[in-house]
Amino acid sequence: MNMQDKRVIVTGAASGFGAAIAQHFAAQGARVMVADLDAAGARVMAERIGGAALACAVDVSKKDQVQAMAQS
């Protein structure tokens, strides 16, 4: 799958399946937003992925937080 020049948001990406998905998309060339309730975990995962990733602390059950994430 060619994700070059694509941008993706992966929720729950600080660990588990979300982290694996975020890493996979980044390996395919996507810029990835690592979104999770766990701000520290999201930062760690974004650092692990490297320059193609950005961490975002977000509770997707909160409309205002989702809107702020989308504007990042």
Side-chain angles (χ1 to χ4, degrees):
M1 172 179 358
N2 182 4
M3 297 295 292
Q4 199 67 39
D5 300 320
K6 303 291 182 189
R7 295 179 184 183
V8 298
I9 298 171
V10 181
T11 59
S15 63
F17 287 115
I21 291 166
Q23 290 173 317
H24 176 75
F25 281 144
Q28 299 303 314
R31 296 193 57 156
V32 179
M33 179 174 284
V34 178
D36 203 286
L37 281 170
D38 176 5
R43 281 192 303 274
V44 168
M45 184 53 60
E47 289 172 7
R48 186 174 296 159
I49 291 171
L54 172 70
C56 181
V58 63
D59 180 344
V60 297
S61 72
K62 309 280 189 216
K63 183 178 179 179
D64 61 323
Q65 289 186 30
V66 173
Q67 289 172 332
M69 175 185 64
Q71 293 176 7
S72 297

